[in-house]
Amino acid sequence: MTGRIRYGGDYNPEQWPSEVWDEDVRLMVQAGVNLVTVGVFSWAQLEPAERTYSFAWLHEVLDLLGDAGIGVDLATPTASPPPWLSARYPDVLPVDARGARYSHGSRQHFCVCSASYRARARRVVERLVSEVANHPAIEMWHVHNEYGCHVPYCYCDNHAQAFRAWLQRRYGSVDELNEAWGTTFWSQRYGEFAEVLPPRLTPTFVNPGQELDYKRFSNDAFLEEFFEERQILRTARPDIPVTTNFMGFFKPLDYFAWASELDVVSTDNYADPADPDAMMLSAMHYDLVRSLNKDAAWMVMEQTPLRVNWRRHNSPKVPGQMRAMSYQAVARGAAGVLFFQWRASRSGAEKFHSAMVSHSGVASPVWAEVAGLGRELDGLGTLEGSGVDARVAMVFSWANWWALEAPAKPANDLSMTDQLSWMYRPLFGRGATVDFCRPDERLDRYEVVLVPSLYLVTEEDGAKLVSYVERGGTAVVSFWSGIVDERDVVYLGPYGGPLRPLIGCDVVDVAPLPEGMTIEVEWEDGTRTGASFWADVATEGTGHVLARVASGPWAGRPAVVEARVGQGRAYYLACRLDAAGLARVYDLAPALSGEPAVHRAGPGVERVVRTSADHTYEFLINHSEEERVLDIASGGFELLAGKQLGSRVALAPMDVAIVRRDRAGPGD
Ligand code: GLA
C-alpha cells in the first residue's frame, strides 16, 4: 500500500435511503476520507432470495464513491448469511459442544464445514465479482469479516467428518493418532478414525491432544474457506490486494498462518479506554499485527471514534485520545486507520456504537475530531517508505497459546496474554519497540529475544533458539518454557526440553504460588525485589545464579540464572519477577534499556521510531492526563506543528509530536 495514509471506515449505505448517500460522500470528502469498506453485511441485500440478485444499489454506491475519489475496500458478505439460507439448508447453522444448534437472527451463524454454506458463499462471491470487479473505485478486497469472531468452534457432524479426514492426513494411521494423543490414558484408545469426535461435552477433561488438534483443525477449516473466496477474487482481479480483518490477540486463529496469505494485514482494535493498561495493550496489539507478515503492509481496519456498545459499561475515549491512539497505530507502521462505522445506525444491535457521523451528525464533538484527524493525516505523505525497525523480538505461537491454556495444569490461571504483557510492559514504558516472531523464524537481526512461557516447543524450533544464542544473541526465557512437544507430550528430565541449554539450572519441579502471595528475591549485591504467581523448584546447574528466592518454601533456590551459551547469553526467570526485578534483568541488555528521555518524562509517554532511507521519524505520544516534557538533545523538525524544535518538546495531555531528523545528522 503506497501513497496517502488510508483513512475512513465501514460504510453501510444499505441501512439508509439513497438521499443520505450524497451527504455521506460530501462529508467524507470534508473529513479527508479516502477508503471505505462496503458490503460487509450485505448478503441479504445482494441476494434477497436464493439466486435472485439485486446489485443496482451497489453499482450506484460505487459510482458515487469513485466519482468523489474515495477508494473502496469491497467486502464479500459471507460473515452473515441471510435467513433464507439457514431456513432452506439447516446444516448451515453451527452446533455448540453440548449439541445445541444456533439460530439465525444475529450474525456469524454459519458452519464453515457445511457444504451448503460453502457452495452458496462461493456463488455470492462469484456473482459479486461478475457484477463489480472491474469498477475503478475498488482498491482492496475485504474477505468475510472477523473470521471466527462469535463462533470459533462448531461441533456438528460436518465438522466431525472433516476433523477425521484432517487427522487422517496428519497422522496417517490410527496407531499414530493413539500415540500422539496418549490414548492409553483413561481407556481412550481408538480402533478406527470413525470413532473420533470433536471435543464435545464430556464428563471431565477432554484428551488434551484431541483438544489441541481440534484448535489446529478449526483454524485450517476457516482458512480453507478463505482460500476459496480469495481464489475467486484473485482470478477476477489479480491486481487488487486482498485482506481480511483480524482481532489482534484472538486466540482461536493462528494469524501467523493467515497473514502470510494476505497482501495487506488488517486488524480491529477495541482496547477499553477504561483499562489503565489499554495503551500498552494496544501498542502490543499493533506490534503483533505489524509482525505477522513482515513483508506486507498493515492497517487498522476498525476502531471506534468514541465508545463501543458491547461492554457492560462503555467508557468513551477522552477528547484527543482517538487521535493519540490513531497515531499510535501510524507510529507502529500502520498504512491506514479506519473506523467502525461511518454513520451511526438508527436500528439494529449496533445503533449505540459510536460512529464517525453520530446520530446528531456534525454537531457531536466526535465529528470535529474525526474530520480534524483526516485532514491532518492527509498532510503526512512524507512518511512514505518508512517502517519500524525493532531490535527486540518476542517469541510467540498460537499452538503454544492453545496448549498453554488448555486445562489441568499446575496453574490454570496462567494466561498467555498476561505472560506477554508482563514481559512487554517495561519495554512500552522505556520506548523500545518489539517484533513478535514465530519460534521457527530467523532471529539473527534482533539483539534480544524474549521468550515468555514457551510451554510447547518442537525439538527443531528449540534448537533454532539455542543456536541464535550460540551465535551471539541474548535471550530472556521465562518459567514454564520447553515443557512439551508439538503433541503436548512432556519432555522428561529436568524441564526445558530443547531449551535446556538456555535455562542454566535444573528445573526439577514447579510450584505455583498461592494467590496473593509474594516472595522475596535476593540479588548478588544483597538487593531484594519481589515475585509472585510462580516459583520453579530448581537446583543449580551450569549457569550463574544472579538472584535466589529469599523467602517462602523455596528459599535458597535459583530465581534468575544467567547461562553463557556459545557467543551469547540467556537469562532464565524462574518466577514472575515484579517490575523492579524485571528491570534489573532488562538493564543487562542495551536493546532493552530504551530511551532515557522517555523514562525521565514520567509515565504515559509512548515513543516509537519509524525509519526510512533518509530520515527517522520519532513519534512521541502523551497518553497521560498531564503535560510531559521531553528533553531531546538532538532537536529535529516537528511535523504536526510544522516547526523546528530546540532541545525540549512539551506535550499537552493526549498530544502527539512526530520529530523528523535527517539520518545523516540532526534535524533538517
Ligand atoms: C467488530 C465488527 C464490526 C462491529 C464492531 C463493533 O469489529 O467487525 O462489524 O460489530 O465489532 O465494535
Side-chain angles (χ1 to χ4, degrees), residues 640-651:
L640 298 174
K643 63 173 191 210
Q644 196 67 37
L645 294 178
S647 57
R648 318 193 96 192
V649 56
L651 291 171

Side-chain angles (χ1 to χ4, degrees), residues 131-143:
E131 286 279 344
V132 297
N134 291 319
H135 198 286
I138 302 174
E139 217 182 271
M140 189 155 66
W141 295 119
H142 180 296
V143 181

Side-chain angles (χ1 to χ4, degrees), residues 577-623:
L577 298 175
D578 65 8
L582 198 52
R584 284 187 72 115
V585 178
Y586 283 12
D587 285 344
L588 297 169
L592 299 176
S593 60
E595 172 57 46
V598 177
H599 302 226
R600 283 196 303 272
V605 176
E606 177 173 358
R607 169 188 179 266
V608 186
V609 180
R610 279 179 73 148
T611 312
S612 71
D614 302 327
H615 294 102
T616 61
Y617 301 91
E618 183 178 29
F619 284 69
L620 299 166
I621 307 170
N622 180 8
H623 294 293

Side-chain angles (χ1 to χ4, degrees), residues 10 12 40-41 107-108 142 145-146 149-150 245-247 268-270 302-304 307-310 340 350 353:
D10 273 30
N12 299 306
V40 178
F41 297 113
R107 65 173 177 184
Q108 292 245 352
H142 180 296
N145 192 63
E146 295 187 338
C149 170
H150 304 303
N245 47 341
F246 293 166
M247 292 165 277
D268 300 345
N269 180 15
Y270 291 100
E302 294 179 22
Q303 60 169 346
T304 181
R307 53 163 170 68
V308 298
N309 70 329
W310 40 261
F340 177 83
E350 297 193 305
H353 191 292

Side-chain angles (χ1 to χ4, degrees), residues 51-125:
R51 291 180 192 275
T52 304
Y53 299 100
S54 153
F55 276 83
W57 68 273
L58 183 60
H59 285 289
E60 198 181 328
V61 167
L62 294 180
D63 288 348
L64 272 175
L65 292 165
D67 290 348
I70 298 166
V72 173
D73 167 39
L74 190 64
T76 65
T78 51
S80 198
W84 61 256
L85 183 57
S86 36
R88 272 198 176 182
Y89 309 97
D91 82 308
V92 158
L93 293 168
V95 170
D96 74 7
R98 304 181 78 98
R101 214 173 258 285
Y102 289 84
S103 305
H104 61 240
S106 176
R107 65 173 177 184
Q108 292 245 352
H109 46 279
F110 65 92
C111 159
V112 80
C113 291
S114 149
S116 321
Y117 167 77
R118 291 275 278 271
R120 274 127 203 114
R122 282 195 303 271
R123 202 171 61 199
V124 74
V125 176

Side-chain angles (χ1 to χ4, degrees), residues 640-664:
L640 298 174
K643 63 173 191 210
Q644 196 67 37
L645 294 178
S647 57
R648 318 193 96 192
V649 56
L651 291 171
M654 300 296 154
D655 207 1
V656 181
I658 307 175
V659 189
R660 184 181 64 202
R661 298 189 184 93
D662 206 274
R663 283 195 80 175

Side-chain angles (χ1 to χ4, degrees), residues 120-303:
R120 274 127 203 114
R122 282 195 303 271
R123 202 171 61 199
V124 74
V125 176
E126 274 158 5
R127 186 66 194 225
L128 180 75
V129 156
S130 73
E131 286 279 344
V132 297
N134 291 319
H135 198 286
I138 302 174
E139 217 182 271
M140 189 155 66
W141 295 119
H142 180 296
V143 181
H144 201 91
N145 192 63
E146 295 187 338
Y147 272 97
C149 170
H150 304 303
V151 189
Y153 302 108
C154 171
Y155 301 84
C156 72
D157 291 341
N158 293 328
H159 267 72
Q161 229 179 350
F163 184 40
R164 288 175 199 132
W166 184 94
L167 290 169
Q168 209 144 12
R169 287 195 298 276
R170 184 173 175 88
Y171 294 109
S173 73
V174 81
D175 289 345
E176 280 297 314
L177 171 113
N178 280 315
E179 178 67 25
W181 288 6
T183 56
T184 47
F185 183 78
W186 280 356
S187 183
Q188 291 170 349
R189 194 191 152 277
Y190 292 99
E192 50 183 335
F193 280 106
E195 293 166 2
V196 180
L197 293 171
R200 292 176 179 160
L201 182 68
T202 49
T204 181
F205 306 119
V206 164
N207 179 298
Q210 180 185 1
E211 186 84 57
L212 179 58
D213 276 343
Y214 205 66
K215 289 192 160 54
R216 291 183 170 122
F217 154 75
S218 299
N219 176 71
D220 290 357
F222 280 116
L223 205 45
E224 200 179 285
E225 197 281 333
F226 164 78
F227 289 150
E228 287 180 359
E229 293 199 31
R230 186 185 63 177
Q231 173 69 24
I232 299 166
L233 302 169
R234 281 206 175 145
T235 304
R237 288 293 303 271
D239 55 320
I240 296 184
V242 173
T243 194
T244 183
N245 47 341
F246 293 166
M247 292 165 277
F249 286 95
F250 178 65
K251 186 174 167 186
L253 296 187
D254 177 352
Y255 284 153
F256 276 121
W258 283 74
S260 59
E261 302 294 340
L262 299 178
D263 302 310
V264 175
V265 180
S266 61
T267 194
D268 300 345
N269 180 15
Y270 291 100
D272 184 359
D275 178 351
D277 266 344
M279 297 310 116
M280 184 273 290
L281 293 171
S282 173
M284 190 162 91
H285 176 150
Y286 291 149
D287 278 352
L288 172 76
V289 175
R290 184 190 61 248
S291 317
L292 290 170
N293 177 344
K294 295 177 179 73
D295 299 319
W298 76 274
M299 58 181 281
V300 179
M301 185 59 81
E302 294 179 22
Q303 60 169 346

